[in-house]
Every structure is written in C-alpha cells, then in structure tokens.
Amino acid sequence: MGQGLWRVARNQQLQHQRYSGQGYPTREDGRRIATNSVSSASHRKQAQGGIDIYHLLKTRKSREQEGFINLEMLPPELSFTILSYLNATDLCLASCVWQDLANDELLWQGLCKSTWGHCSIYNKNPPLGFSFRKLYMQLDEGSLTFNANPEEGVNYFMSKGILDDSPKEIAKFIFCTRTLNWKKLRIYLDERRDVLDDLVTLHNFRNQFLPNALREFFRHIHAPEECGEYLETLITKFSHRFCACNPDLMRELGLSPDAVYVLCYSLILLSIDLTSPHVKNKMSKREFIRNTRRAAQNISEDFVGHLYDNIYLIGHVAA
C-alpha cells in the first residue's frame, strides 16, 4: 500500500515538472522533445542503412580545417627529404608556398647532378652570384639547343662556363647525360672523332660477356641505321676497348681485336636475322657456328654457341 502511494506521488511530481500550470508543455520542453524525436529518427535511419548527412558534413569540415602539412613546421631534414622527390617544375611551384625551403641550393644541386652527371663547373670555385637553380635553367636550355643543333649546344655550354673546351670534358658530359637526342648525338660524334675516342675509353667492359658489352656500348653510342664507314669505326674502337678491358680472357680464348671485330659483325647480322619479321628462314645455331668459325678459325665452337644463345634469348645487340 505504501509503495503504491509513493509511485503515484512520484508520477505527479514528474508531470508537474513537465507541464505548466495550464497543462501544456513549455517551449523549452517542446524543443527538447523535438530534438529527441529527430535524434531517434536519425538513429533509426542509420540502423536502416541511411546516410547521416550531419556526420558527413562535420567530417568534411574537419578535414578542410586540417589542410596541407606545413613543411616549415617540420624538421628541416624531413622537409628537404620530401622536396627532393620533386622535379624542377614541381619544385618551382613549391617555392611559391615554401620559398626558403624550395629554393635551397642543395635541392637544385641534386637536380643538376642527377640529370647532368658531369659538368666542368662542378669542379671549379663558383663565380659570384652563382646558384644551382640558375645553372639548372642553363643546362636545360643548352640541352634543348644541342637537340636542335649539336654544335651550337656545345658552344652554349662553353660560353656559360659550364664546359671546358676539351674533348675529354665533352665526352664525360655526354657519357653522364641522358637528355641529349641520340640522333643529333650520333651526327656530332661522327664529326668529332676526338670526342668519340675519349667517350669510348670511358666504358669499362671488364668481365662482361661480349654481346652484353656490345649492348651497353650501343646504348651510349647509337649505331647508325645503315652499314658504312662510321659503323666500322665504332666496331673497331669497341673491339680494341673490349680487349683492353679483358686481357686475361683474350689470352685464354685466343682472341685478338680483329677476331672480336669479326664476332661483333656476326652478332649484328645474327640480331637482324633473328629479330627481323622480313626474314622467314632464320639462321640456325649450327649455321651461325659454321659461318663464324669460317671467318675466325681460332674461336671455340662452345663459345660461338653461347653467343648465339644470348642473341636468341635476349635480343638485338644494337636495338
């Protein structure tokens, strides 16, 4: 009996708090009820697989407030590491935001040396007002000039003090640069045989298999499209350089520069025969061994067979 009277009194107290004296809910209570109704409806929507628009807008706003990471707030070593992955164009754009960081000399020095591995100016005391960013622009301009006119390009490098007027320095520059047009480079080397001689000596073919060494040679010094005097010159220079790099192997196999010359020509002809779609009857391994040993009798049959296998499996030596 006492518990029942207590429940009735408690219910009356709650009703009195919820309603005003006229028996209507107050404005505050109405807002609370409406908010609870919307919240419960939202929860029901989520339970049914609906989209919580409020949550999405709130998440988007928080992400917009976060923005990009400010590199100036990071340790300098970390900031420079991040910027070192950018190319020259992106680094220039980054300098609009982080001017001091993106214009750092070490970053532009790395870009210069990663693209143009050797320049005479690298080993000199820098002149007054020197900057690697300016040097990068000059190197890029000179490379474009070279790809249009090789002689003018080299003269441009010399006029800016980037290269010394020396065949050895020009050869080192060509050897360490990959932005030069190979067709224009071939024309230039055909005219400047002194530069070609120094360029050949920069190659190290020690302990390399002959076809692989020939491929490396023609990656730096591209072979002409047709047989002629220039191709003969290239093969002759390569043969002497290959023998100079492998004196023990030459004595073991009994090879001379003339024998290597014959082998190189045989490899080029075999490459054309095996890779050309116009040749239907491909040269067999037995035919290659017979023809090669006929031209160079001191070469072992096994060695010539390994040469054939290399071309057959890997491909052209001068592609």
Side-chain angles (χ1 to χ4, degrees):
M1 182 67 178
Q3 291 180 356
L5 291 175
W6 181 85
R7 290 195 187 97
V8 172
R10 180 62 178 167
N11 290 336
Q12 289 178 354
Q13 183 182 4
L14 292 173
Q15 289 176 2
H16 179 72
Q17 293 176 358
R18 185 176 297 175
Y19 298 101
S20 63
Q22 291 82 8
Y24 297 100
T26 62
R27 185 176 299 176
E28 220 175 281
D29 293 331
R31 287 175 182 168
R32 192 181 303 113
I33 294 170
T35 302
N36 292 337
S37 300
V38 172
S39 178
S40 61
S42 176
H43 285 304
R44 286 196 301 272
K45 252 187 174 181
Q46 290 182 11
Q48 295 171 1
I51 301 175
D52 187 355
I53 303 298
Y54 175 76
H55 178 70
L56 290 177
L57 292 176
K58 186 177 180 181
T59 304
R60 180 180 177 184
K61 186 176 180 181
S62 64
R63 289 179 179 175
E64 289 176 351
Q65 289 176 349
E66 290 177 3
F68 293 100
I69 298 175
N70 188 359
L71 296 182
E72 294 178 346
M73 303 300 293
L74 299 176
E77 297 82 1
L78 182 57
S79 301
F80 289 138
T81 302
I82 294 172
L83 292 175
S84 66
Y85 288 96
L86 301 180
N87 56 29
T89 303
D90 293 336
L91 197 58
C92 289
L93 294 175
S95 65
C96 298
V97 182
W98 304 290
Q99 185 174 2
D100 294 336
L101 290 174
N103 288 332
D104 188 83
E105 282 291 279
L106 289 177
L107 291 175
W108 287 98
Q109 181 181 358
L111 279 176
C112 289
K113 292 189 176 182
S114 63
T115 308
W116 299 274
H118 176 82
C119 294
S120 303
I121 197 172
Y122 292 161
N123 302 319
K124 298 179 180 179
N125 293 326
L128 186 64
F130 173 83
S131 72
F132 277 98
R133 178 171 179 171
K134 180 181 178 181
L135 177 62
Y136 183 95
M137 304 305 173
Q138 292 175 341
L139 286 168
D140 187 58
E141 179 68 22
S143 297
L144 293 175
T145 304
F146 184 96
N147 293 337
N149 188 314
E151 193 65 34
E152 290 184 5
V154 173
N155 291 335
Y156 175 87
F157 289 130
M158 293 178 182
S159 65
K160 299 297 181 181
I162 297 174
L163 277 181
D164 291 342
D165 189 4
S166 165
K168 184 175 293 185
E169 286 295 305
I170 298 174
K172 288 181 180 179
F173 175 79
I174 293 173
F175 186 80
C176 300
T177 302
R178 298 293 177 270
T179 60
L180 305 180
N181 182 276
W182 64 271
K183 292 183 178 180
K184 298 296 183 179
L185 182 59
R186 185 175 62 192
I187 296 173
Y188 179 78
L189 293 176
D190 190 12
E191 296 175 352
R192 290 292 303 270
R193 299 297 176 91
D194 54 343
V195 177
L196 177 61
D197 290 338
D198 287 314
L199 185 59
V200 172
T201 58
L202 293 175
H203 290 81
N204 184 9
F205 302 122
R206 184 172 178 80
N207 296 328
Q208 291 191 26
F209 194 37
L210 181 61
N212 297 333
L214 199 57
R215 289 189 185 92
E216 180 183 340
F217 178 75
F218 283 130
R219 272 197 295 267
H220 288 92
I221 307 174
H222 294 270
E225 298 175 354
E226 298 179 354
C227 294
E229 187 269 336
Y230 181 58
L231 179 60
E232 294 178 0
T233 301
L234 291 181
I235 298 177
T236 300
K237 294 181 181 299
F238 168 81
S239 302
H240 285 84
R241 182 59 183 169
F242 184 82
C243 292
C245 293
N246 299 279
D248 296 335
L249 179 64
M250 295 301 101
R251 284 193 297 268
E252 180 182 347
L253 297 176
L255 296 179
S256 64
D258 291 339
V260 175
Y261 179 92
V262 173
L263 291 177
C264 289
Y265 249 113
S266 299
L267 291 173
I268 293 174
L269 295 176
L270 178 63
S271 299
I272 297 173
D273 186 273
L274 295 182
T275 58
S276 175
H278 303 291
V279 179
K280 295 183 179 180
N281 298 322
K282 305 295 184 183
M283 185 182 299
S284 67
K285 187 175 183 178
R286 181 176 297 178
E287 291 174 334
F288 177 73
I289 293 174
R290 183 179 65 249
N291 295 337
T292 304
R293 295 196 67 194
R294 187 180 301 168
Q297 300 178 358
N298 295 331
I299 303 174
S300 68
E301 184 174 333
D302 291 338
F303 181 75
V304 179
H306 291 319
L307 295 178
Y308 182 94
D309 294 337
N310 183 279
I311 304 301
Y312 183 83
L313 295 174
I314 298 179
H316 207 300
V317 293

